Amino acid sequence: MQTIIARSLDSLKKNLNKVKKSKKIGLIPTMGSLHDGHLALIKKSKKLKFFTVVTIFVNPLQFNNKNDFKKYPLQEKKDIDIIKKNNVDLVFIPKKQQIYPHGFSTYLKEINHSNILCGQFRTNHFSGVLTVVFKLFVLIQPYSAFFGEKDFQQLFLIKKMVKDLHLEVKIISVPTVRDSNGLALSSRNKLLDDKYLKIASSIYKIFKNSKFKNYKNTKSLITYLKKRLINSGIVDIEYIEIRKSKNLEKAIILNNREKLRVFIAAYLKGVRLIDNYKIN
């Protein structure tokens, strides 16, 4: 089947109406500049035999920095080629005016978990994420939607939105996809040269090789990790925290009774990197 390219709401609706009664829809929302992390989501949807829909929309609402929005890597033609090669059923590439028509002023906001981790440094970022994802759920009405664990806080908040608002969408998560050096794949990685990509990969290597069991509390562990990261060239650390996977509460004591993750955001050559790693 040839990939359908929909660039308007009418085209999207017309093509989805043809399949809704006979097939389950699997949605992969993206901002384009596709990489193997996105392909893992696509492959998961295809494996489940869903009518697979990929959206490409650089959402201005989730950027708190105008320069970050302007320099976000774009490669629409290449993305479409990748999508066709991977047998995606439909790709939706809307303009800003279609998603946010003139006078748009209705936004979603989560109040308990959006102002921690990335949220404390990116004002209204998650409001922008939840608003656009909710709109895509309404427009596409998927049976399932697929998200990567690299953006763990985003994944957590989308799951919470679905639960809080009784949305009939099953959220399926896929483990973080990494390159051969362990660096979590991200569209922004394309803004780094080989030298800085190598430095960035030290984040995962340090986490992976750290003996977490040797530490009784998170404060001493974070001090150790920061020292290792700075020595490796990761000096502009925005935050590094250890939180509980189930509710994102801060962890104080390290124990095996609760599943914990270490979360990090750092800048390298002006490029913001995020990652998380399961401690136990």
Side-chain angles (χ1 to χ4, degrees):
M1 178 180 172
Q2 189 173 7
T3 300
I4 300 164
I5 300 175
R7 294 183 180 273
S8 69
L9 297 178
D10 286 343
S11 177
L12 176 70
K13 184 177 179 180
K14 177 182 177 182
N15 284 288
L16 290 182
N17 282 342
K18 295 177 182 178
V19 301
K20 279 181 179 177
K21 291 182 179 180
S22 58
K23 296 182 180 179
K24 293 178 180 177
I25 295 173
L27 171 64
I28 296 99
T30 84
M31 294 203 298
S33 200
L34 304 181
H35 50 68
D36 285 350
H38 297 112
L39 296 187
L41 305 178
I42 291 170
K43 288 174 183 176
K44 183 71 173 178
S45 177
K46 298 294 293 185
K47 185 177 180 180
L48 294 171
K49 301 188 183 305
F50 291 158
F51 182 88
T52 301
V53 176
V54 172
T55 64
I56 297 177
F57 177 65
V58 183
N59 178 31
L61 262 61
Q62 67 190 72
F63 288 83
N64 62 311
N65 185 313
K66 290 183 179 180
N67 289 329
D68 189 26
F69 177 67
K70 289 179 180 178
K71 69 180 183 181
Y72 189 86
L74 302 174
Q75 53 173 47
E76 184 182 300
K77 185 178 183 301
K78 184 177 179 181
D79 285 343
I80 291 174
D81 289 341
I82 291 171
I83 282 168
K84 288 180 176 178
K85 184 178 179 181
N86 285 273
N87 300 313
V88 170
D89 297 293
L90 186 149
V91 56
F92 179 45
I93 313 175
K95 297 291 186 183
K96 177 185 174 183
Q97 293 79 7
Q98 293 171 312
I99 301 298
Y100 304 119
H102 180 70
F104 182 86
S105 60
T106 303
Y107 306 90
L108 279 176
K109 186 173 183 178
E110 192 281 332
I111 62 173
N112 290 329
H113 302 87
S114 293
N115 295 321
I116 60 173
L117 298 172
C118 288
Q120 63 183 315
F121 299 97
R122 305 186 71 187
T123 305
N124 293 324
H125 167 70
F126 288 115
S127 175
V129 170
L130 295 177
T131 299
V132 76
V133 170
F134 180 80
K135 292 206 75 170
L136 292 174
F137 285 175
V138 171
L139 290 169
I140 296 169
Q141 298 177 24
Y143 178 85
S144 292
F146 299 81
F147 297 89
E149 290 184 357
K150 181 183 81 72
D151 298 289
F152 193 86
Q153 185 179 14
Q154 171 182 282
L155 172 64
F156 177 90
L157 289 170
I158 290 170
K159 285 182 177 179
K160 193 170 192 310
M161 175 184 72
V162 168
K163 181 180 178 181
D164 287 353
L165 301 182
H166 304 288
L167 304 180
E168 294 184 356
V169 182
K170 183 179 179 181
I171 304 301
I172 297 176
S173 61
V174 174
T176 301
V177 178
R178 302 179 181 278
D179 68 13
S180 58
N181 291 316
L183 177 62
L185 296 187
S186 168
S187 299
R188 289 182 173 86
N189 292 354
K190 296 172 183 178
L191 302 173
L192 296 172
D193 60 25
D194 290 343
K195 174 186 174 182
Y196 287 98
L197 285 172
K198 186 176 181 180
I199 294 173
S201 68
S202 63
I203 294 174
Y204 174 73
K205 291 175 182 176
I206 289 169
F207 290 167
K208 184 180 179 182
N209 296 324
S210 294
K211 296 180 179 180
F212 298 111
K213 293 181 180 179
N214 292 348
Y215 296 85
K216 292 183 179 180
N217 61 72
T218 58
K219 184 177 180 181
S220 59
L221 174 56
I222 289 171
T223 299
Y224 163 77
L225 292 174
K226 277 186 176 179
K227 185 176 180 180
R228 290 284 312 276
L229 289 162
I230 290 170
N231 289 340
S232 72
I234 309 293
V235 297
D236 190 0
I237 300 172
E238 191 171 69
Y239 68 78
I240 178 167
E241 298 183 16
I242 296 172
R243 290 183 176 263
K244 301 174 185 179
S245 297
K246 66 178 181 180
N247 56 19
L248 295 186
E249 288 182 1
K250 264 191 177 181
I252 298 174
I253 304 299
L254 294 168
N255 61 63
N256 293 322
R257 293 192 298 272
E258 292 183 299
K259 293 182 179 180
L260 306 178
R261 288 178 182 260
V262 54
F263 293 86
I264 187 172
Y267 283 89
L268 194 59
K269 202 66 176 177
V271 177
R272 191 171 188 272
L273 306 169
I274 66 168
D275 205 346
N276 67 87
Y277 183 82
K278 287 193 292 186
I279 291 178
N280 53 13

